[in-house]
Each structure stands twice: as C-alpha cells, then as structure tokens.
Amino acid sequence: MKMATRLVLAAAFMAATGGVTANAQVIDRITFKTNFPFVAGNTTLPAGSYTVTPMDDDPSILELSNGKVSVLLDTEGDQPARTPSKTEVTFNKYGNTYVLHEIIDPEAQGGAIILPSHAEKRHQKAHGTPTPQAVPASKTAKK
C-alpha cells in the first residue's frame, strides 16, 4: 500500500512539474524593432517594428505582424537557460542572415522558441552553429 501511494505521489509530482515547463509561453503582446531584415518561418521580413500576438485558441501559435505582412509561427514553450532582466527577442545569425529564434518574458519565467523552419535548417546546414543576437522588446496585455 505504501508503495502504491509513493508511486501515485511521484506520478503527480512529475505531471505537475512537466506541466509547468510545457505552459511557459508568450501570453502578452510583444513588440520589438530590428535594424536588419530577418527570416520568420519561411518568410523574409524587412527591418522595422513588429508585434507578436499569441493566438486565442492556441497560444503555441504566434502571429508576427508589421501592419502590412503577417506570419504565423509554430512554437514550443521555453524555459530559457538564462533569464534576462527585460523582455527580449533573440535571433540566430547564420552568416549575414538573421532567423527569429526565441521570445523571452522574464515576468512569465519563460517564453517561446520558434520551431525551426526549412529556411533555418538550410541556413544551419550552410553556416553551422549560429551566433545569437538579442533585441530588446516590450509587452502589453492582450486585448
């Protein structure tokens, strides 16, 4: 009986801690500005100001928009290895190409990693390990 109780408690603990990791996502609208063009998904976007908005029906899908173009991005929850003091967006730099990689919200203690697209896999194959590049961002509550 004691063994069964321990197993149930261990399973409950693992489920609870696994749930915390999986739930780390972007929950607020994030805005950022770049002075370089970048790839998001399989789309190359010009330098400028962008807004990232989680979709209401599936927060693992983010909409990236600059008011003229919108791109839907598939993500997974993230518990970053380092927690910056401010909200930021990171890019992987392959040669001269920047690829949107991660959105970090320290207040939510996590963020979202953009799942690698075919475009990013091609850049990685051609250039190897990327150099990370962080851009400051700000957030506002979703309406």
Side-chain angles (χ1 to χ4, degrees), residues 25 29 31 37 59 61 64 71 77-78 84 88 108 110 120 126 137 139-140:
Q25 297 177 3
R29 183 173 287 143
T31 57
I61 298 178
L64 174 69
V71 177
D78 180 26
E88 67 182 29
E120 181 166 12
K139 65 181 193 169
T140 58

Side-chain angles (χ1 to χ4, degrees), residues 23-99:
N23 288 334
Q25 297 177 3
V26 174
I27 56 174
D28 293 314
R29 183 173 287 143
I30 306 285
T31 57
F32 67 94
K33 184 177 182 177
T34 68
N35 58 0
F36 49 83
F38 64 95
V39 176
N42 289 308
T43 304
T44 301
L45 299 165
S49 297
Y50 290 88
T51 301
V52 176
T53 307
M55 302 302 289
D56 288 331
D57 57 341
D58 187 352
S60 70
I61 298 178
L62 302 178
E63 179 184 24
L64 174 69
S65 175
N66 67 359
K68 296 178 184 175
V69 176
S70 280
V71 177
L72 294 179
L73 302 169
D74 212 4
T75 70
E76 63 183 25
D78 180 26
Q79 293 290 333
R82 65 174 186 81
T83 304
S85 60
K86 295 184 180 181
T87 303
E88 67 182 29
V89 175
T90 60
F91 296 85
N92 283 336
K93 184 178 179 191
Y94 299 96
N96 292 325
T97 302
Y98 293 85
V99 178

Side-chain angles (χ1 to χ4, degrees), residues 54 89 114 124 126:
V89 175
I114 311 304
Q124 187 172 28

Side-chain angles (χ1 to χ4, degrees), residues 86 107 115 125 139:
K86 295 184 180 181
E107 290 177 22
L115 296 178
K125 187 175 181 180
K139 65 181 193 169

